[in-house]
Amino acid sequence: MNCNKAGIKIISIKMEVDFHLLVKRIKLYDKSALQKLKDVSGIIIRQWAEKDKQELRWMASSGKSVDYMHLIKDVIIQYVEMQHDSAEDIIKFEQFKNYLIRKFEENMRSFFSEFIYLLKYNDQKAWKIVFYDLEKRAAGWFYMRNMMLNKDSYPVFCDSVEVLYSNFMKKELTFPDSFSFKSYFFKTLENKYYESLKDPYLKKSVPLDSRSFHLFTGNEGELRVEHYERQKVLINAFGKLNHEEQAVLRGYFFEEKKLRDIAEETGQTEENIRIKKHRALKKLFNHFKLIRYES
Amino acid sequence: MNHKQAEERNIAELYLAHRLPPDEELAFEEHLLTCKKCRKKIRKLEYAKEAVKLSNQELFRDSGQIQAKGDKKIRNFFSFYHIAAAIIVIVAFTAIVIIFSDKKMSPSVISTIPEKDYKSFTPGYQADSSDLITDSDSSLAGAKKEMSDYIVENFTPSSFYEKLVNENYRNTGLIIKDPVGDTLPHLPSFAWENSVYESLILVITNNHEKKIFTGIIKNGSTPDVSIGPGLYYWQLQDQKETLFTGRFIILPLNGR
């Protein structure tokens, strides 16, 4: 027991020293060290954003949309520059993590308000980002109600975006963060959806591009192609799994169920589900070789 | 934490599912700084998660078409089930309305409502002398008509809300502890199991889809509103969306 404790202590001291040295190396302009910290910071921020339901792509600076990885890089550099050269104080990773999230959140707020300005000025790229992200979220919203975002439900989604767009352009709507923006959208989607249930004839089956609202479907720009290609690879990879494997992964990753719960629901043993999940992931990862998954 | 430990305990997956305690989460993140394999695994798992999420967008499916059809079959089966349930409920309500408005109103045929409730509910009803009530009694005929109107007015279900309740359109997984069942003697308390929400917005609507109460309610409490006998629909909402839709019937225990 004591040996174990001592072992853990040695590992944690080694890790602290590792991080300390990494920061020192970044100070000496070591690019690979910076890249490593950027990768890990990216993971931390994505986890934080998922938990806090923040949209990482809804940011802009100096009239352009900003990649969140740039913001992470800026925060890392600020942090490294703040550190003194004294060798006595070990720089702790925990302190860095707290700094990273706090600074990122602060900057994100101001970058989000710039992003809102872009939307107000009818910036196509910004609206496309919003459209695609809402599309993804709406698919989840419909799934929770035992439905798919398909040709039947898509017009409802498009109608809701149109309402959001016209209200946003006409009215003085203010959104402090992406969460409140999405809340507004989902309220609209909910109302539109119930309208379509009450009177199915009201449901418009006209695609967006055939109306005056041609903003999102105009030019097949770079963003669209990149978005489509990436989605295709991921969806095709998932489609290659058999029904059972898909169900296990859907339960585990999307519905966030525990393996034990999936096992109970399907009348199998937990171990059996664990093996199925493992095989499904292995298959999926093989298909991912088509795209670069290293960050 | 070293790579072996992380692999053995499948820490990467637990981390992405937000299922690690804060100290282990921090230790794993620190480990990621020095472990390329774990960083790569995290990235792959992130893509796997995204793929699962995207699979819900049927619009973009190519090779996933077969699967989509499979899913749809299951869904169609369930929606058939839901529609059947909705029809049964609507038929049941209609039956109650017809029974109450029937000329030969009798407590024995109204099996769903206890006799003691029925006594206070039915104007002019006398347990010992029900045979004395005839159609020729004009005041009773008036009372019956009034009763019939009253039931139609307050108990006719809203097809829209019935659809929501029976097809679970507005149920996002919130587990409701209270109210249990539909027929209640008085306004219920509202309690749910998910501890994330300490309080929620409660909306109570009557059978004519008119909102009669909207307010924030704490888990397990009863809203401060007085409502008469009738059929009501209720919804629990957070700031973003409606989490649950249910219904209840308040029986007129003390008469109108």
Side-chain angles (χ1 to χ4, degrees), chain A residues 167-226:
Chain A
N167 283 353
F168 184 80
M169 289 309 202
K170 282 178 209 161
K171 295 177 188 172
E172 287 296 315
L173 297 175
T174 51
F175 300 107
D177 51 28
S178 58
F179 184 80
S180 54
F181 189 95
K182 280 186 291 181
S183 294
Y184 184 84
F185 169 75
F186 279 106
K187 281 273 180 196
T188 313
L189 180 67
E190 199 176 17
N191 290 335
K192 279 278 157 197
Y193 178 62
Y194 297 133
E195 269 176 31
S196 76
L197 282 182
K198 273 186 167 181
D199 188 354
Y201 299 105
L202 273 179
K203 199 195 282 179
K204 294 168 189 169
S205 54
V206 189
L208 281 177
D209 50 354
S210 66
R211 303 188 210 169
S212 56
F213 190 61
H214 50 77
L215 179 67
F216 307 127
T217 46
N219 299 321
E220 288 284 321
E222 198 183 310
L223 187 76
R224 179 106 185 154
V225 173
E226 185 200 317

Side-chain angles (χ1 to χ4, degrees), chain B residues 120-133:
Chain B
S120 52
F121 187 19
T122 314
Y125 171 73
Q126 294 164 37
D128 299 326
S129 57
S130 56
D131 53 333
L132 296 175
I133 303 167

